[in-house]
Amino acid sequence: MTPALDRIRVGSAPDSWGVWFPDDPQQVPWERFLDEVAEAGYSWIELGPYGYLPTDPARLTDEVTRRDLKVSAGTVFTSLHRGPSVWDATWEHVGQVAALTQAMGAKHLVVIPSFWRDDKTAEIIEPAELTTEQWGHLSRGMERLGRQVRETYGLDIVVHPHADTHIDTEEHVERFLDSTDSDLVNLCLDTGHYAYCGGDSVKLIETYGERIGYLHLKQVDPEILADVVAGGVPFGPAVQRGVMCEPPAGVPELGPVLAAAQGLGVDLFAIVEQDMYPCEPDKPLPIAVRTRKFLRSCGA
C-alpha cells in the first residue's frame, strides 16, 4: 500500500493549460482554465502570469470560490542580478502581484530570475554566466526582496530555478542557496526544470531540505532533452518539441521526490506544471485528469 503523503498539498497552474503570458491569442481563456482545473479534481491553483486571471481581488475571489478553488501563490520575474538600479521597477511589479496574492489568502510568492535568452525568439539577451559582482547583486537583492515582501505583505518568497536563467544547474542552485539567508530566501524546487538542467531533485531535498519551501511537479522526456542539450536549443523551442512531458513518462520519477518531500516533516504545496505553450485548447484537460489520478496513486 502506498503511504499517504499527508504533508503534500497538490494543485495545478495556468502553465499546465499552455499559459505563459498575461494575454495571448494562443492561450485558453481564463474562465476555461478555472472551469477545467476544477473539473480535473484540483483544489489549489497559482495565479500564473499577472493579468491572465482577473486582478480585482473581489472578482477573482468570487470566481475561484464558486469553483471550490483556492490560491497557493503568485509569480513574479526579477532581474536583481543587475543591481540596485532595477530595484524600484522590480518592487513596483512585485507589489502588484504580492497585493493580489495576499488578498487571495496565499502565503507564497514564486520568484523566477529573468531569462538570459528570450523564451519566444531565442535571442541571447546577456551572458549565461554571472560575474562575481552580479552574484552579489542577486543574493543581496533576493534577501532584500524576501525581507520587504514579508514585512509588507506577509508572504514568503520561494525562488524558482529555471532553464535559461542564471539559477539553473546544481552548481548555480547550490551557490545561490549558500550565499543567501534561509530566514529570508527559500526555494521553489521545480523537478522538471532541475532535471532539464542536470540536477537531482531527491538529492537536493535530502541535502538542502530546510531550504525547500515549495514544489513544482514536472517531468522531462530524456530523449528529447538529449537532443535539446546536444543542439543548444533554447527553452521555448524545446517546450514546443515536447521536452516537458506527461507523468509518469519522463524524469525525475515523482514518487521518490514526493516521498523525500514528505520526509521533511513540513507542509508543502506541490503544484503540477507541464509546460505546453502553445498547445491545442482541448489538450490540457485530459492530461490534467490523468496526472491527478497518477499523483493519487503515489499517495498525494
Side-chain angles (χ1 to χ4, degrees):
M1 182 177 173
T2 304
L5 301 172
D6 59 356
R7 306 303 294 266
I8 308 295
R9 290 169 287 182
V10 171
S12 193
D15 184 61
S16 292
W17 267 256
V19 175
W20 277 9
F21 304 101
D23 185 31
D24 188 295
Q26 298 188 86
Q27 297 175 170
V28 298
W30 63 266
E31 297 93 338
R32 180 169 179 176
F33 159 67
L34 291 179
D35 288 343
E36 292 188 350
V37 73
E39 184 181 339
Y42 296 96
S43 55
W44 292 94
I45 61 166
E46 290 184 358
L47 295 177
Y50 182 76
Y52 174 66
L53 294 176
T55 56
D56 174 65
R59 184 179 183 201
L60 185 55
T61 298
D62 177 63
E63 295 287 354
V64 299
T65 300
R66 62 190 182 87
R67 294 172 174 90
D68 294 322
L69 296 170
K70 298 181 288 288
V71 175
S72 61
T75 302
V76 296
F77 284 85
T78 60
S79 304
L80 293 170
H81 66 284
R82 295 177 186 161
S85 64
V86 302
W87 176 261
D88 289 346
T90 300
W91 184 248
E92 182 179 2
H93 167 59
V94 168
Q96 282 184 313
V97 181
L100 181 60
T101 303
Q102 178 193 46
M104 298 310 296
K107 299 298 182 186
H108 295 91
L109 191 66
V110 178
V111 181
I112 302 177
S114 58
F115 290 83
W116 53 262
R117 61 181 167 189
D118 190 276
D119 57 343
K120 265 192 168 179
T121 68
E123 176 193 358
I124 302 292
I125 301 167
E126 56 190 316
E129 290 288 337
L130 296 178
T131 65
T132 300
E133 182 183 36
Q134 288 173 321
W135 272 110
H137 288 322
L138 177 61
S139 301
R140 290 189 298 271
M142 284 295 188
E143 288 177 339
R144 181 182 181 187
L145 191 69
R147 182 183 295 108
Q148 204 148 318
V149 165
R150 183 178 296 164
E151 290 176 353
T152 309
Y153 298 102
L155 306 176
D156 289 328
I157 70 166
V158 282
V159 178
H160 182 324
H162 196 292
D164 287 0
T165 76
H166 296 109
I167 306 177
D168 49 3
T169 62
E170 179 179 307
E171 178 189 358
H172 287 163
V173 169
E174 291 185 355
R175 179 171 182 170
F176 176 72
L177 290 174
D178 291 342
S179 63
T180 49
D181 184 343
S182 61
D183 289 336
L184 299 172
V185 179
N186 284 306
L187 215 62
C188 168
L189 170 57
D190 185 303
T191 60
H193 279 278
Y194 202 50
Y196 184 104
C197 298
D200 180 332
S201 289
V202 171
K203 178 186 172 188
L204 187 67
I205 293 169
E206 291 175 346
T207 308
Y208 286 90
E210 74 284 355
R211 305 297 299 273
I212 308 299
Y214 200 92
L215 294 172
H216 280 172
L217 300 181
K218 188 180 296 179
Q219 285 191 326
V220 295
D221 181 314
E223 292 186 9
I224 297 176
L225 179 62
D227 288 341
V228 163
V229 172
V233 178
F235 182 66
V239 166
Q240 293 179 30
R241 293 190 187 189
V243 71
M244 297 297 181
C245 63
E246 178 181 344
V251 295
E253 200 178 338
L254 292 180
V257 172
L258 289 166
Q262 171 76 14
L264 296 176
V266 296
D267 292 332
L268 284 173
F269 283 107
I271 304 300
V272 176
E273 288 192 327
Q274 183 181 341
D275 290 298
M276 292 193 293
Y277 175 87
C279 70
E280 294 298 321
D282 293 336
K283 185 178 179 183
L285 177 57
I287 292 175
V289 171
R290 291 191 298 265
T291 301
R292 187 70 193 94
K293 184 178 180 181
F294 165 69
L295 291 172
R296 285 196 179 99
S297 77
C298 295

